[in-house]
Amino acid sequence: MEVSVLNEVDRTRRWWNALRLALVLLWLLAAVTAWWTAPRQQSYEKARADSAAGHVVAYQWGDHWGANDPGHWFGAPVLQQGSGQPGPLFAWKTSDGRVHWTDTTTFDQVAVTGVVAVESYSGVGAVGIAQNLRDAGIEHRAILASQRTPVVTGIVVLLAAIALGVVIVGPTPHLGTRWFWFWLLFFTPQGLGLLYWLAREHPWARPTADPAAPGGGERRDRGALGFAIGIIVAIVYSAVLLILHRTLGDWWVPSPGA
């Protein structure tokens, strides 16, 4: 009987270890892809060079960056246009999957050829890039949606479905209640709650003893604690991201509009 129980524990452990490794590898793939495709600021000259050479596979005009929701797993700020004239911000995607952006109000000089109407754009700098797009025959290319790529979106949906499925309808968690893990997965940014869940919760683990409970009963982390931890981690994450962006620069920690 004891041998049978041990075999069952070993099978459960092997199954969980395989799933945990697969989920971590998927998370890493999504994180690297999101980092690679995150919008990074470039010079005005780089924007004109890429547009003139036809290296732009998609582009978008805007005048401000929308807020990046820290709870949005591997999301990116969206370039938004509030005014009627395109610009002054210009974002474009190149064939290597990278997304760049520039402020068209910062330039050395621009020759206006009359190919596009000057009054249709928010400044001479925007007109210069529009001319390059027209000359290269790519002014009608797809509008850039600077959020998650389809690969990242698919991975995020898969990770969330598996994690929430196991937490909600799977075996009863031992170290935290279902609500604890649900709020932690829901609120923590970039799937960090998922990594914590994978590292801490094990199907063969047992709740810790609570000395305050009658008879030293078992204690599990409750939903309110998971809710509070998720909110705190989201706030701390935003602050740390801003500090790293200002310390390491836009290349390592891209954060448009920061």
Side-chain angles (χ1 to χ4, degrees):
M1 184 68 176
E2 183 178 351
V3 173
S4 176
V5 172
L6 290 176
N7 288 338
E8 182 65 27
V9 171
D10 288 340
R11 284 195 296 270
T12 302
R13 183 174 294 147
R14 287 195 297 269
W15 172 85
W16 179 254
N17 285 338
L19 176 62
R20 181 166 54 177
L21 177 60
L23 293 179
V24 170
L25 291 177
L26 285 174
W27 182 90
L28 287 174
L29 177 60
V32 171
T33 304
W35 176 82
W36 178 265
T37 58
R40 289 172 169 81
Q41 187 170 12
Q42 297 284 354
S43 65
Y44 178 80
E45 289 71 25
K46 171 66 174 175
R48 291 207 64 180
D50 281 354
S51 58
H55 295 162
V56 177
V57 298
Y59 69 91
Q60 185 174 353
W61 295 99
D63 55 17
H64 69 281
W65 288 97
N68 186 15
D69 182 4
H72 194 191
W73 289 16
F74 306 118
V78 180
L79 185 58
Q80 299 176 346
Q81 186 73 59
S83 62
Q85 295 177 312
L89 303 182
F90 176 73
W92 72 100
K93 183 179 181 180
T94 50
S95 58
D96 59 359
R98 312 212 79 156
V99 177
H100 318 274
W101 71 277
T102 192
D103 186 346
T104 62
T105 61
T106 304
F107 58 88
D108 292 330
Q109 62 179 37
V110 177
V112 178
T113 62
V115 175
V116 297
V118 176
E119 64 276 6
S120 298
Y121 292 86
S122 60
V124 177
V127 171
I129 293 179
Q131 290 176 166
N132 291 139
L133 295 172
R134 176 71 62 85
D135 293 341
I138 57 176
E139 72 274 18
H140 297 301
R141 290 203 168 169
I143 294 177
L144 172 66
S146 55
Q147 295 181 340
R148 295 184 301 205
T149 66
V151 172
V152 175
T153 299
I155 292 176
V156 167
V157 171
L158 180 61
L159 291 176
I162 293 176
L164 291 177
V166 172
V167 167
I168 295 173
V169 301
T172 301
H174 294 299
L175 302 179
T177 64
R178 296 185 192 274
W179 279 113
F180 172 82
W181 292 116
F182 174 82
W183 290 123
L184 208 63
L185 290 169
F186 183 84
F187 279 114
T188 50
Q190 313 301 4
L192 296 178
L194 171 71
L195 297 182
Y196 181 61
W197 172 65
L198 292 173
R200 186 168 186 265
E201 187 71 67
H202 307 276
W204 61 89
R206 289 294 177 265
T208 57
D210 186 0
E218 296 175 339
R219 176 183 60 82
R220 292 193 298 164
D221 295 330
R222 304 297 177 180
L225 179 61
F227 186 92
I229 292 176
I231 295 294
I232 293 172
V233 170
I235 295 174
V236 173
Y237 173 83
S238 297
V240 170
L241 188 68
L242 180 60
I243 294 173
L244 291 177
H245 172 72
R246 294 181 177 178
T247 303
L248 301 178
D250 199 55
W251 170 258
W252 293 108
V253 188
S255 184

